[in-house]
């Protein structure tokens, strides 16, 4: 049997721990809070089908041909206007690159700025796929502490002083994955000041920002940026459809030009049909009303989840209370092995994502992420009752 010599970017053990967890959680007998999926019943199927039809009528041959790597002009103009209106970020179309989902932004920014051995600072815990991407480019990770107000700025500055070689700060400031926490406006302004002071770039990841069901909107980090250190990334996956794979990055034109070259060598351009269909959808529909329907449903499901946690979980369990997004974070004192806890809960036909993959450095035992966006209301209490019984059994040992 041939022994393949994979590159350093391929994980040495060849395993996909998270994939194995999600596969186990996909059993139809299991009530799974593990996925990170939007509610499919809110997908605007008929409206999007009509938008696709109009896109074909107007751009049939053009959308079936090769396109520009930066993206379709109409969509880039829409994104620039959308970011201005929703995030108070004043950009032109030349500051926008359309990507194949926001995941591609992570890959392109890592390719453009992270050499092997470079230091990347990120919240602890943080989005697990970002950890995987930066790790594949040989990054060294430095975790920054968080509390309910987001990344701790005192700890961030201490880490920047201790690591003058730091190249990039990665943050999910709105309804963070996995914790659901939101960074305050004061901390955002301070983070941007620190980025300029220490000449380190910031990748602001905002996939969930429009799904707010409580509290007040907080300005984007990019809205405070006067020096060009902040790169803002977003997506339509959470408010329209993840299957369309439409993401984007907003940055200075010099950065966009470099990322465009890298994208061209990766996939030439993002799917033209989706790019032409999205502006047609926006033109014909009340997108704000659609997003409100999403936010209202997720808020209801989050409240049901909190009620179930209070009712069924051990009294000493800690958990976050998000004002938006799709996730909340649970900490169970006294648990040393979260994967073992997951396996125990799976015996009770309920699942979550263990916290371990969300940490770039040392993990915090007894932590896990719960998703409420993709679970029917009648199953939320059922699942939390099962999960609570498993947690009590595990902590009683």
């Amino acid at each position: 049997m041939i022994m393949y010599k994979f590159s350093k970017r391929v994980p040495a053990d060849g395993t996909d721990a998270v994939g194995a967890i999600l596969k186990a959680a996909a059993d139809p007998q299991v009530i799974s809070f593990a996925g990170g999926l939007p509610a499919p019943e809110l997908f605007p199927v008929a409206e999007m089908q009509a938008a696709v039809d109009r896109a074909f009528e107007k751009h049939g041959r053009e959308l079936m041909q090769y396109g520009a790597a930066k993206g379709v002009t109409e969509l880039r103009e829409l994104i620039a206007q959308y970011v201005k209106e929703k995030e108070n970020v004043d950009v032109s179309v030349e500051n926008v690159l359309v990507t194949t989902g926001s995941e591609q932004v992570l890959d392109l920014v890592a390719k453009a700025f992270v050499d092997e051995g470079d230091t990347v600072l990120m919240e602890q815990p943080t989005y697990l796929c970002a950890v995987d991407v930066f790790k594949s480019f040989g990054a060294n990770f430095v975790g920054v502490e968080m509390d309910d107000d987001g990344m701790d700025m005192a700890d961030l500055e201490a880490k920047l002083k201790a690591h003058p070689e730091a190249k990039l700060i990665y943050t999910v400031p709105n309804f963070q994955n996995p914790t659901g926490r939101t960074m305050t406006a004061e901390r955002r302004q301070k983070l941007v000041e620190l980025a300029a002071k220490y000449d380190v770039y910031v990748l602001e990841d905002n996939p969930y920002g429009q799904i707010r069901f409580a509290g007040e909107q907080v300005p984007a980090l990019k809205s405070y940026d006067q020096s060009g250190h902040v790169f803002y990334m977003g997506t339509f996956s959470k408010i329209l459809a993840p299957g369309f794979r439409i993401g984007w990055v907003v940055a200075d034109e010099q950065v966009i030009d470099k990322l465009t070259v890298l994208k061209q060598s990766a996939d030439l351009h993002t799917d033209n049909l989706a790019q032409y269909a999205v502006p047609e959808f926006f033109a014909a529909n009340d997108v704000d009303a659609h997003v409100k329907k999403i936010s209202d449903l997720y808020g209801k499901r989050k409240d049901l989840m909190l009620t179930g946690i209070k009712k069924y979980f051990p009294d000493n369990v800690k958990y976050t209370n998000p004002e938006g997004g799709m996730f909340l974070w649970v900490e169970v004192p006294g648990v040393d092995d979260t994967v073992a806890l997951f396996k125990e809960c799976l015996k009770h036909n309920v699942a979550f994502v263990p916290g371990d993959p969300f940490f770039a450095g040392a993990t915090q035992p007894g932590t896990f992420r719960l998703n409420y966006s993709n679970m029917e209301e009648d199953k939320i209490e059922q699942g939390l009752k099962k999960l609570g019984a498993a947690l009590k059994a595990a902590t009683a040992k």
Side-chain angles (χ1 to χ4, degrees):
M1 181 177 177
I2 186 171
M3 296 296 293
Y4 294 101
K5 298 176 182 177
F6 295 105
S7 75
K8 293 179 181 180
R9 294 191 179 92
V10 179
D13 59 7
T15 61
D16 178 8
V18 176
I21 288 167
L22 295 177
K23 182 179 179 181
D27 185 324
Q29 300 300 315
V30 175
I31 295 178
S32 177
F33 302 115
L37 306 177
E41 62 268 32
L42 293 183
F43 289 159
V45 176
E47 295 85 352
M48 191 59 76
Q49 183 175 359
V52 168
D53 289 343
R54 289 192 299 274
F56 265 113
E57 290 170 5
K58 294 181 181 180
H59 310 284
R61 290 189 176 90
E62 192 176 1
L63 69 78
M64 295 181 73
Q65 186 57 278
Y66 287 114
K70 278 189 178 179
V72 169
T73 301
E74 291 93 324
L75 179 58
R76 292 168 61 218
E77 290 174 342
L78 170 65
I79 291 167
Q81 186 62 34
Y82 187 79
V83 171
K84 284 181 186 178
E85 291 179 359
K86 303 300 182 184
E87 301 293 346
N88 194 32
V89 176
D90 190 14
V91 296
S92 74
V93 68
E94 296 306 320
N95 300 117
V96 178
L97 169 66
V98 177
T99 60
T100 304
S102 59
E103 192 72 22
Q104 188 176 52
V105 181
L106 295 171
D107 184 73
L108 295 177
V109 170
K111 282 179 181 176
F113 292 100
V114 179
D115 291 316
E116 187 162 355
D118 280 347
T119 296
V120 174
L121 292 87
M122 49 178 49
E123 296 145 342
Q124 289 285 75
T126 192
Y127 177 44
L128 59 88
C129 290
V131 174
D132 290 342
V133 169
F134 293 124
K135 185 183 296 182
S136 73
F137 286 92
N140 293 324
F141 296 110
V142 174
V144 181
E145 296 300 319
M146 297 182 75
D147 58 24
D148 286 341
D149 290 331
M151 187 184 286
D152 184 299
M153 290 301 109
D155 190 52
L156 174 61
E157 184 159 23
K159 298 291 174 56
L160 287 169
K161 288 179 179 177
H163 297 276
E165 79 286 357
K167 183 72 70 71
L168 184 72
I169 301 168
Y170 172 74
T171 179
V172 187
N174 292 320
F175 321 128
Q176 194 232 23
N177 183 357
T179 66
R181 293 165 176 152
T182 294
M183 189 186 299
T184 62
E186 293 78 12
R187 292 192 182 185
R188 294 175 192 227
Q189 191 166 8
K190 181 65 174 178
L191 195 158
V192 174
E193 291 172 2
L194 291 174
K197 178 179 178 180
Y198 292 94
D199 192 23
V200 60
Y201 308 119
V202 179
L203 182 56
E204 177 181 13
D205 191 354
N206 186 31
Y208 317 103
Q210 297 307 308
I211 306 175
R212 175 176 283 279
F213 40 74
E216 299 295 328
Q217 183 173 358
V218 187
L221 289 164
K222 184 64 177 171
S223 70
Y224 297 108
D225 181 30
Q226 301 297 317
S227 62
H229 281 83
V230 180
F231 315 143
Y232 174 94
M233 56 185 282
T235 177
F236 288 128
S237 291
K238 306 305 185 292
I239 65 170
L240 294 184
F244 271 50
R245 310 308 304 131
I246 296 293
W248 66 83
V249 57
V250 171
D252 280 5
E253 191 172 345
Q254 180 183 358
V255 174
I256 293 298
D257 288 345
K258 294 295 185 183
L259 296 180
T260 301
V261 172
L262 294 174
K263 176 177 171 59
Q264 194 162 6
S265 66
D267 66 358
L268 294 184
H269 61 84
T270 296
D271 177 80
N272 277 337
L273 175 57
Q275 289 194 72
Y276 278 111
V278 169
E280 294 295 333
F281 178 89
F282 268 74
N285 295 277
D286 186 339
V287 177
D288 289 340
H290 173 66
V291 173
K292 186 177 186 305
K293 285 174 59 179
I294 297 172
S295 301
D296 289 347
L297 180 65
Y298 291 6
K300 179 181 179 182
R301 291 179 174 178
K302 188 269 300 192
D303 288 343
L304 288 171
M305 182 165 278
L306 289 185
T307 299
I309 288 173
K310 293 172 184 176
K311 186 175 181 180
Y312 297 114
F313 282 22
D315 292 338
N316 64 344
V317 166
K318 299 177 181 179
Y319 50 90
T320 57
N321 185 4
E323 294 183 335
M326 298 164 55
F327 308 105
L328 61 83
W329 184 247
V330 180
E331 300 177 9
V332 187
V335 172
D336 296 324
D337 188 338
T338 315
V339 175
L341 176 63
F342 167 81
K343 293 177 181 177
E344 179 65 27
C345 290
L346 205 57
K347 294 177 184 177
H348 291 71
N349 288 329
V350 64
F352 53 76
V353 178
D356 295 14
F358 297 100
F359 290 89
T363 61
Q364 181 181 350
T367 58
F368 56 87
R369 188 191 75 179
L370 294 177
N371 166 260
Y372 46 78
S373 62
N374 191 235
M375 183 56 61
E376 301 92 335
E377 288 91 306
D378 62 335
K379 290 186 178 179
I380 289 177
E381 183 171 9
Q382 296 177 40
L384 292 172
K385 186 175 182 179
K386 293 172 180 284
L387 184 50
L391 293 179
K392 289 177 179 177
T395 54
K397 294 178 181 179

